[in-house]
DNA sequence: CTGAAAGCGCTAACAG
DNA sequence: CTGTTAGCGCTTTCAG
């Protein structure tokens, strides 16, 4: 049915090896021969059979990206960046959604689907430090996120503590002293929530501002509705605060909404900062000051690291950790009058 | 290196055919043999080589989804739904971003990447009716969206006209008569903008309300900022309106923000409706009334149609068109006091 | 019910 | 510079 190397070879009057050489840009082919082969390829509309090539070469040309779910904007934007980065190095991306479920994440690590790709970029949410050993797999793997540190693989992520400290310092520099937190996770140490809370505390300590449990609002999930609920709870506690640090943008956006509904002016009465620099942070009312955690850089480095491991698997270099550059993006929600 | 059928066969003391039979759930295998083989598989940690299987079977187990970009929430949520639907039928999904660029879309249709997948679900944005013939490809293809109709392939999309008419009728039923449009496209006939505008006009006609070009705002793109800009322009025209129909949610959200900044109350002074039922529509201030275009159904049917074409390519059935069920989702932005 | 053997389309030694 | 040939690991007739 489909046209093969043999067909092209026959049409061009050469052997299949020569056709193969032309296709793979093998240098030592006479220009005239090359031209003849290319013509035959064009005429017959030959396209290499990628499965055969994979079987032979052991490379598929695809990498997998596993993440919780695309309908969470952060991950959609991450996927966008990863696909772009992969495209630059000639790889396609298979996306697998885990729903942040630990069992599914664990399964996925040893699923036979792995055989379909050259490597995996993995952003777990359900797994924790105790599962680190499970990352010691036999294929190229790059870890994303803050669920597991010091694991057996390359790890690319953001400077959560530093960035959260910077965000808090930024609010303090604007004269805010009572900075509420939305989205903390009870007792968490690593994980985005734990790390960002730690950065917050560091900034408080450095400024000599006491930490007040009363203005910390906990949520399990980080959707906009959780931010809204957390803020309602905060308001019902009847405590004082003059700023809110949403541990991510959607939380901040949800909290900001409730704040405004309750009659507070943002940033007049309360200034608000988020974390992630989602597209939508730019268009909220008021637009949201936030932390750009370096998503594009994370994607770029993750793909590059993975490709290095794919291309030179023998290089048993120690696991590498890369922390992307962050920056505060100032917008209206923290503007000073 | 990796363990193959031969290794398993040797370990279990059977031939590779028997192992293959076990793996593929071929019925006529003696239970004892089956057990022995399964044990060997478990011990050796055998995983089938998917490339070899693909080469042999002609099926890859992957489908491609081509869309403009994941950072547009509508497409992220569509991708989410498609991945879930594909998973249910045992397929993985490769996502390709076109940026809505016609050239890239055209290229992608004949790229050798197609060989890596069993079929393509394609949501073009740059291509138009004139390019319909280009969809006549030799592999299973399902078209999404409203750029091309009556093309040579199966097509799954939403009831744009009906849904837009329903949205408009809904506003009219609440007593609104001066319904502004945000996001129209100059001279467009098909395409989401063209079709939704047509539904709007039909509702107006049916209600005997004159169409007024003065309250139609055009934009090229459909980002939130375009909705904001369009609304500013509308306000600067100094015309009267008591409702806004954003041709999608992000436009509506952007317009709603400007409206509120300008001191209008939503829905008090102006009620606002969107289209798409994005997650974020649920959490805006006020929450946004919108049209759920049946995204989950679209994904489900698209995958199912594609699989049918993949599994029975000989069935040269005529191209099918499926229009998903829509519904109005009532929220605060159109609440009547 | 199970085994032997052919071959999917390609790449890479190895010859020439 | 180009041709021959041997598999990559699997599925699948076809025998037994």
């Amino acid at each position: 049915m489909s046209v093969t190397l043999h067909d092209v070879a026959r049409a061009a009057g050469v052997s299949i090896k020569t056709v193969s050489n032309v296709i793979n840009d093998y240098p030592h082919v006479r220009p005239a021969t090359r031209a003849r082969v290319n013509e035959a390829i064009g005429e017959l509309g030959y396209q290499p059979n990628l499965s055969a090539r994979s079987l032979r070469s052991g490379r598929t040309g695809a990498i997998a990206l596993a993440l919780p779910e695309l309908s969470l904007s952060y991950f959609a934007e991450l996927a966008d960046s990863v696909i772009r980065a992969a495209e630059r190095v000639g790889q396609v991306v298979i996306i697998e959604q885990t729903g942040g479920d630990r069992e599914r994440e664990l399964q996925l690590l040893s699923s036979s689907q792995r055989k379909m790709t050259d490597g995996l970029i993995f952003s777990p949410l359900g797994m924790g430090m105790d599962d680190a050993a499970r990352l010691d797999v036999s294929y190229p793997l790059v870890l994303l996120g803050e669920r597991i540190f010091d694991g057996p693989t390359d790890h690319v992520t953001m400077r959560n503590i530093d960035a959260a400290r910077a965000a808090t310092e930024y609010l303090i520099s604007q004269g805010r002293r009572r900075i509420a937190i939305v989205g903390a996770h009870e007792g968490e140490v690593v994980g985005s929530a734990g790390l960002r809370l730690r950065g917050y505390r560091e900034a408080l300590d450095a400024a000599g501002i006491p930490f007040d449990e009363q203005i910390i609002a906990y949520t399990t999930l980080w959707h906009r509705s959780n931010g809204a609920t957390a803020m309602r709870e905060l308001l019902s506690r009847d405590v004082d605060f003059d700023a809110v640090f949403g541990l991510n943008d959607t939380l901040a956006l949800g909290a900001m909404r409730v704040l405004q509904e309750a009659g507070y002016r943002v940033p007049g009465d309360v200034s608000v900062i988020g974390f992630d620099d989602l597209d939508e942070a730019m268009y909220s009312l008021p637009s949201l000051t936030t932390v750009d955690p370096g998503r594009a850089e994370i994607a770029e480095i993750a793909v590059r690291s993975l490709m290095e491991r794919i291309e030179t698997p023998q290089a048993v270099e120690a696991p590498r950790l890369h922390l992307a550059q962050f920056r505060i993006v100032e917008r209206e929600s923290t503007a000073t009058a």
Side-chain angles (χ1 to χ4, degrees), chain A:
Chain A
M1 46 203 286
S2 142
V3 23
T4 77
L5 273 189
H6 285 93
D7 301 325
V8 177
R10 201 174 318 116
V14 298
S15 83
I16 63 165
K17 169 60 170 145
T18 303
V19 181
S20 175
N21 282 343
V22 170
I23 289 166
N24 299 298
D25 286 322
Y26 190 70
H28 308 300
V29 179
R30 213 183 309 163
T33 315
R34 182 182 298 278
R36 198 142 34 86
V37 169
N38 277 322
E39 196 180 342
I41 288 177
E43 265 169 28
L44 299 179
Y46 169 75
Q47 291 195 325
N49 178 317
L50 269 2
S51 298
R53 183 176 285 178
S54 299
L55 175 57
R56 194 55 243 236
S57 67
R59 288 276 304 271
T60 65
I63 62 180
L65 170 64
L67 42 73
E69 49 175 317
L70 283 176
S71 44
L72 297 175
S73 300
Y74 176 78
F75 292 108
E77 298 192 13
L78 176 67
D80 179 326
S81 303
V82 168
I83 292 172
R84 284 173 208 271
E87 198 181 332
R88 276 181 237 122
V89 295
Q91 300 282 118
V92 297
V93 178
I94 289 178
I95 295 188
E96 308 210 31
Q97 302 190 113
T98 62
D101 179 63
R102 177 171 170 278
E103 287 310 318
R104 293 200 56 179
E105 290 174 347
L106 255 17
Q107 267 176 12
L108 176 149
L109 282 171
S110 54
S111 152
S112 68
Q113 299 289 9
R114 291 302 117 255
K115 293 272 177 184
M116 203 182 240
T117 55
D118 296 331
L120 171 66
I121 297 179
F122 185 32
S123 181
L125 196 58
M127 289 173 62
M129 288 296 273
D130 295 345
D131 300 310
R134 305 292 289 271
L135 296 177
D136 195 8
V137 295
S138 60
Y139 50 84
L141 169 63
V142 171
L143 179 70
L144 260 33
E146 8 283 331
R147 299 292 308 166
I148 297 175
F149 284 91
D150 302 314
T153 64
D154 287 345
H155 185 186
V156 182
T157 186
M158 53 187 75
R159 301 184 176 278
N160 279 284
I161 301 179
D162 295 346
R165 190 185 329 106
T168 311
E169 282 166 354
Y170 172 74
L171 294 173
I172 294 173
S173 78
Q174 297 197 325
R176 308 291 174 164
R177 309 280 297 178
R178 299 278 301 160
I179 303 170
I181 289 284
V182 167
H185 287 175
E186 201 78 54
E188 188 181 273
V189 178
V190 294
S192 309
L195 297 173
R196 291 176 195 172
L197 191 63
R198 180 155 143 212
Y200 163 80
R201 295 195 64 158
E202 288 185 6
L204 252 41
D205 287 352
I209 300 174
F211 174 76
D212 180 1
E213 182 73 39
Q214 278 299 302
I215 53 176
I216 308 296
Y218 295 87
T219 70
T220 45
L221 295 177
W222 277 9
H223 292 273
R224 216 185 276 230
S225 53
N226 302 291
T229 307
M231 181 47 71
R232 277 192 209 100
E233 197 203 315
L234 231 33
L235 292 176
S236 75
R237 285 190 201 159
D238 204 30
V239 289
D240 229 47
F241 54 87
D242 55 15
V244 172
F245 179 8
L247 260 24
N248 83 354
D249 282 352
T250 40
L251 286 167
L253 258 10
M256 191 158 75
R257 171 193 168 154
V258 169
L259 228 28
Q260 292 174 113
E261 271 180 336
Y264 293 88
R265 303 187 48 103
V266 177
D269 301 322
V270 178
S271 72
V272 178
I273 194 167
F275 199 115
D276 278 350
D277 193 25
L278 299 183
D279 240 46
E280 37 179 324
M282 214 178 330
Y283 304 110
S284 60
L285 173 64
S287 60
L288 183 68
T289 294
T290 185
V291 177
D292 167 6
R295 190 168 39 249
E297 181 183 341
I298 290 173
E300 179 71 34
I301 300 287
V303 169
R304 197 183 307 162
S305 305
L306 190 65
M307 293 314 290
E308 285 170 10
R309 299 292 186 180
I310 290 171
E311 279 155 12
T312 57
Q314 70 284 10
V316 271
E317 221 180 304
R320 294 167 292 187
L321 173 63
H322 181 91
L323 299 173
Q325 208 54 52
F326 70 88
R327 69 184 231 290
I328 306 279
V329 183
E330 300 188 44
R331 298 213 183 88
E332 296 163 2
S333 67
T334 58
T336 48

